[in-house]
Amino acid sequence: MAPPARAVRSRCSAALPDSEMQCGACLASPPPFDGAPAAVAYGPAARTVALRLKYGRRLGHARLMARLMARPLEQLAGDGQALLVPVPLHRWRLWSRGFNQAALVADELTRLTGTAHDHHLLLRARPTASLRGKTRRERERIVAGAFALADDARAKAAGRHLILIDDVHASGATLRAAARALRRSGAARVSALSWARVVPEALMTSNIFDFASLDSDINDQMMTG
């Protein structure tokens, strides 16, 4: 599995051929996070690992993912004030699945790097409909307001660097919505770190797939949490 980029735009961490280039999407609508790297580029192997953890209950895959996410995390975390915040599931989805894959990965990252995590800082305020086949505007509308801060979030997050943890970063609608909620906590910075990210190189292969269906909270046509 190849790294997601040879050069990146610092704000969104999208793959660009030249580190001096500006990301047009960031210029038009700056994302609510300060960097969003991933351990690997999305492809068949990365997809298999993510799906086997999420739907196949191969919980040991969280450890594999964390091992490859540890290096970008250490580069991202910096001064030791970082706090890992897994993207939460709605309680209905959590009851159905039995675990939150992002929380499992955060646990393993804490074990490997010593970076603290908090599973309860960010809450999924409501379930959201499938993002499959939706336009960017529709995806943004579906996840708008889906996240909320815990009652004690401001006391825990003030002045800290919050790092959202998720499995796959595709359209980014979920991460942006979650980051907007975390911005209200008084954190000094908000970033995101994913296992795999869809990048132009992956999109140009003969493997054609539905971009929206890769977002981290997709599960066929069902309501997701």
Side-chain angles (χ1 to χ4, degrees), residues 29 32 126 131 134-146 171-177 180 215:
S29 179
R126 59 176 177 80
L131 305 186
K134 301 297 192 296
T135 66
R136 178 188 177 97
R137 182 174 295 180
E138 289 170 336
R139 294 194 297 267
E140 295 285 351
R141 186 174 66 249
I142 287 170
V143 297
S171 72
T174 299
L175 285 176
R176 287 191 293 273
R180 289 186 188 101
D215 219 346

Side-chain angles (χ1 to χ4, degrees), residues 6-222:
R6 293 183 297 277
V8 298
R9 167 76 172 128
S10 61
R11 184 68 183 267
C12 71
S13 301
L16 293 170
D18 184 341
S19 61
E20 298 302 316
M21 293 177 65
Q22 297 275 321
C23 172
C26 287
L27 288 173
S29 179
F33 39 69
D34 304 299
V40 299
Y42 189 90
R47 179 179 185 273
T48 297
V49 170
L51 292 181
R52 285 182 177 173
L53 169 60
K54 193 170 182 177
Y55 302 121
R57 303 187 65 84
R58 303 285 188 86
L59 303 189
H61 282 20
R63 187 173 303 114
L64 167 64
M65 294 160 76
R67 285 174 182 166
L68 292 181
M69 293 168 71
R71 179 172 291 182
L73 171 60
E74 289 173 347
Q75 295 171 343
L76 193 62
D79 60 7
Q81 292 300 306
L83 182 65
L84 307 181
V85 181
V87 173
L89 297 179
H90 189 268
R91 62 182 180 278
W92 296 350
R93 177 57 56 202
L94 188 58
W95 291 340
S96 172
R97 187 176 300 163
F99 62 92
N100 176 0
Q101 71 279 0
L104 294 180
V105 173
D107 288 343
E108 292 295 337
L109 284 168
T110 294
R111 186 180 65 82
L112 289 170
T113 70
T115 306
H117 68 260
D118 192 316
H119 291 192
H120 308 293
L121 188 79
L122 186 66
L123 309 174
R124 195 81 172 226
R126 59 176 177 80
T128 50
S130 171
L131 305 186
R132 183 184 297 276
K134 301 297 192 296
T135 66
R136 178 188 177 97
R137 182 174 295 180
E138 289 170 336
R139 294 194 297 267
E140 295 285 351
R141 186 174 66 249
I142 287 170
V143 297
F147 299 97
L149 296 173
D151 291 341
D152 59 351
R154 289 173 179 80
K156 292 180 177 179
R160 300 194 73 169
H161 178 190
L162 305 183
I163 303 177
L164 283 162
I165 301 297
D166 209 0
D167 51 0
V168 176
H169 180 169
S171 72
T174 299
L175 285 176
R176 287 191 293 273
R180 289 186 188 101
L182 289 183
R183 286 285 184 189
R184 299 193 291 270
S185 70
R189 292 178 60 197
V190 176
S191 301
L193 175 64
S194 303
W195 153 244
R197 180 166 183 173
V198 176
V199 293
E201 289 84 353
L203 290 172
M204 294 302 291
T205 69
S206 59
N207 235 349
I208 303 301
F209 46 80
D210 177 5
F211 185 87
S213 72
L214 298 177
D215 219 346
S216 60
D217 55 359
I218 294 299
N219 182 13
D220 297 325
Q221 299 296 329
M222 299 173 63

